[in-house]
Amino acid sequence: MASASENSTANGTVNGTLLGAVPAHDWWEPQSFEVALVLALVSTACWGSWSNTAKAAADRVNFAHYYTDFCLGTILVALVSFVGPGHLHLGGPAVDLSKIGFAVAAGSVFGVANMLLTTGIAVAGLSIAFPLCIGTGLVLGTLLTYLVDRRGQPALIFPGVFLALLGVVANARAYGLLQRQRGQDAGRKASNPDEASTSEAEESAYISESSTSASDSDAAPGAAASGAATQNIVLCVVGGVLMGCWSPLSAHSMKGEEGLSPYWSFVCFTLASFAVGLTILAGQQCGLSVMPRVGAVTSFGEYFTISPALHGWGLLGGAIWALGTASNLVSGGSLGYALSYALGQTAPIVAVLWGLGWYREFDGAPRQAVMFLVFMFVLFLAAITLLCLGGR
């Protein structure tokens, strides 16, 4: 009868690790609910903050180049995490390497979803794309992930998700009202270009992905526009459905004793997302993509003419997003993947704080927009409270 060591070697690993020198299950993970909760909230902060780099690069870097650097930044952080706290572990002693397929599928789905979200914001606007994409992704992602990993108290988690969804809608409504007023002001001041100039990037740079995952450079000048409102809505809804599918796939790749370590799962995720994103970008530049292009046409050669400092914005943005996602996946091992995902998707509250405090985005905003913002904060804080209680 073959020994456990021989069986592991037959699978191409020793004790689930590339080098075989580290004991099984020796990757770092939080050992208490409190530490895991803090880690999940780190993902909230990162998912709500990385888009500041997109704003900084919006007028100086083509979106295709920024997004390429963004993906490279995610891969770099994933690899560093895998070597460091991940200790080069693929999984435990019973790891089933076929689960790599679920991690690759999660990254591929996210790659398509993020590009659809990007395009949806560009052609439909924040007030339409954000609730459709992020709202659908939040609800569907939490529900499907809970079906994969049923930890937590659904009687508290799902009401929390519903409040977060209302917060997303209130957020989008506030931005819609702000944009409407700025449009009216621009019309009244058309005779004075200096007073009328308000960049579209400023109006949209404070909404985060998630997951997710929204890019605030999505509204950069040169974004292609769709002429059909129905097509725009379908684009946003499909993006939201796909955005809600990557989390359960990722959770399944890490589930059980045969699951991958969160660090190796994330490496596979980022590599797949990069491949899909690069394929879509290449198709858009050649006019072969099924979705409108964001940004002007560019070339692979032009990518290498950009200064290192400008490349740094995309790399930094990807690194911040990846730090948040890695934190979310690792915390899910202790909290439950549905809860950690839902907490991470409350990131818009952080993005709005950046807009209010640093960019002064809502200075002079209409009173109704401010009221929707206050309502949003109340809803998100209530949602976070219920989600935290639901993890107990």
Side-chain angles (χ1 to χ4, degrees), residues 24-119:
H25 296 296
D26 195 39
W27 63 81
W28 183 85
E29 57 185 7
Q31 299 300 313
S32 68
F33 176 85
E34 290 74 19
V35 174
L37 181 60
V38 170
L39 204 59
L41 293 176
V42 167
S43 73
T44 305
C46 289
W47 285 355
S49 300
W50 71 266
S51 54
N52 291 318
T53 65
K55 174 177 172 59
D59 296 329
R60 294 177 289 173
V61 182
N62 186 283
F63 174 75
H65 300 154
Y66 173 86
Y67 196 79
T68 300
D69 288 326
F70 174 87
C71 291
L72 291 174
T74 67
I75 293 173
L76 179 61
V77 170
L79 290 173
V80 170
S81 300
F82 178 56
V83 173
H87 294 169
L88 293 175
H89 268 258
L90 304 183
V95 62
D96 179 2
L97 295 184
S98 67
K99 288 210 167 188
I100 290 175
F102 289 98
V104 169
S108 300
V109 168
F110 172 81
V112 176
N114 205 35
M115 292 300 296
L116 285 170
L117 175 59
T118 294
T119 305

Side-chain angles (χ1 to χ4, degrees), residues 142-155 157-158 251-252 255-256 332 334-339 390-392:
T142 305
L143 174 61
L144 293 179
T145 306
Y146 185 78
L147 294 178
V148 174
D149 179 14
R150 293 177 177 269
R151 286 177 291 172
Q153 302 178 46
I157 291 177
F158 288 108
H252 192 76
K255 182 182 178 182
S334 299
L335 295 178
Y337 296 111
L339 175 58
R392 286 291 187 177

Side-chain angles (χ1 to χ4, degrees), residues 40-390:
L41 293 176
V42 167
S43 73
T44 305
C46 289
W47 285 355
S49 300
W50 71 266
S51 54
N52 291 318
T53 65
K55 174 177 172 59
D59 296 329
R60 294 177 289 173
V61 182
N62 186 283
F63 174 75
H65 300 154
Y66 173 86
Y67 196 79
T68 300
D69 288 326
F70 174 87
C71 291
L72 291 174
T74 67
I75 293 173
L76 179 61
V77 170
L79 290 173
V80 170
S81 300
F82 178 56
V83 173
H87 294 169
L88 293 175
H89 268 258
L90 304 183
V95 62
D96 179 2
L97 295 184
S98 67
K99 288 210 167 188
I100 290 175
F102 289 98
V104 169
S108 300
V109 168
F110 172 81
V112 176
N114 205 35
M115 292 300 296
L116 285 170
L117 175 59
T118 294
T119 305
I121 290 177
V123 301
L126 286 168
S127 60
I128 294 176
F130 198 67
L132 287 177
C133 288
I134 300 301
T136 303
L138 167 64
V139 175
L140 183 62
T142 305
L143 174 61
L144 293 179
T145 306
Y146 185 78
L147 294 178
V148 174
D149 179 14
R150 293 177 177 269
R151 286 177 291 172
Q153 302 178 46
L156 293 174
I157 291 177
F158 288 108
V161 169
F162 178 70
L163 291 178
L165 174 63
L166 294 180
V168 170
V169 174
N171 188 3
R173 181 59 177 159
Y175 273 89
L177 291 169
L178 178 65
Q179 291 172 5
R180 179 187 302 175
Q181 176 176 289
R182 286 180 172 175
Q184 293 171 349
D185 291 345
R188 287 194 299 266
K189 299 177 182 178
S191 59
N192 189 340
D194 291 335
E195 294 183 14
S197 60
T198 301
S199 71
E200 189 176 359
E202 288 178 341
E203 296 173 1
S204 63
Y206 316 106
I207 302 286
S208 170
E209 147 166 31
S210 54
S211 74
T212 117
S213 332
S215 169
D216 293 300
S217 65
D218 300 342
S226 170
T230 301
Q231 179 184 356
N232 295 343
I233 293 174
V234 170
L235 200 70
C236 295
V237 172
V238 172
V241 169
L242 292 177
M243 192 64 75
C245 291
W246 75 261
S247 179
L249 288 169
S250 184
H252 192 76
S253 75
M254 299 177 287
K255 182 182 178 182
E257 290 297 321
E258 71 280 5
L260 307 175
S261 78
Y263 301 97
W264 177 240
S265 177
F266 190 44
V267 169
C268 299
F269 179 102
T270 56
L271 290 172
S273 177
F274 174 65
V276 169
L278 205 61
T279 300
I280 294 175
L281 289 173
Q284 288 177 332
Q285 301 308 312
C286 299
L288 301 176
S289 179
V290 296
M291 64 184 78
R293 185 185 66 252
V294 177
V297 176
T298 186
S299 66
F300 188 67
E302 187 179 338
Y303 173 82
F304 292 100
T305 66
I306 301 174
S307 69
L310 293 181
H311 280 298
W313 288 117
L315 292 170
L316 179 60
I320 294 172
W321 180 88
L323 176 62
T325 306
S327 299
N328 195 269
L329 297 180
V330 173
S331 66
S334 299
L335 295 178
Y337 296 111
L339 175 58
S340 64
Y341 174 80
L343 282 171
Q345 289 291 68
T346 61
I349 193 173
V350 177
V352 172
L353 286 173
W354 278 106
L356 287 171
W358 182 260
Y359 297 105
R360 315 296 300 178
E361 181 185 21
F362 276 84
D363 285 359
R367 182 178 179 182
Q368 192 176 7
V370 175
M371 291 177 62
F372 272 106
L373 276 185
V374 173
F375 189 41
M376 179 212 72
F377 279 110
V378 172
L379 288 169
F380 270 122
L381 291 175
I384 291 172
T385 300
L386 285 178
L387 291 170
C388 291
L389 293 174

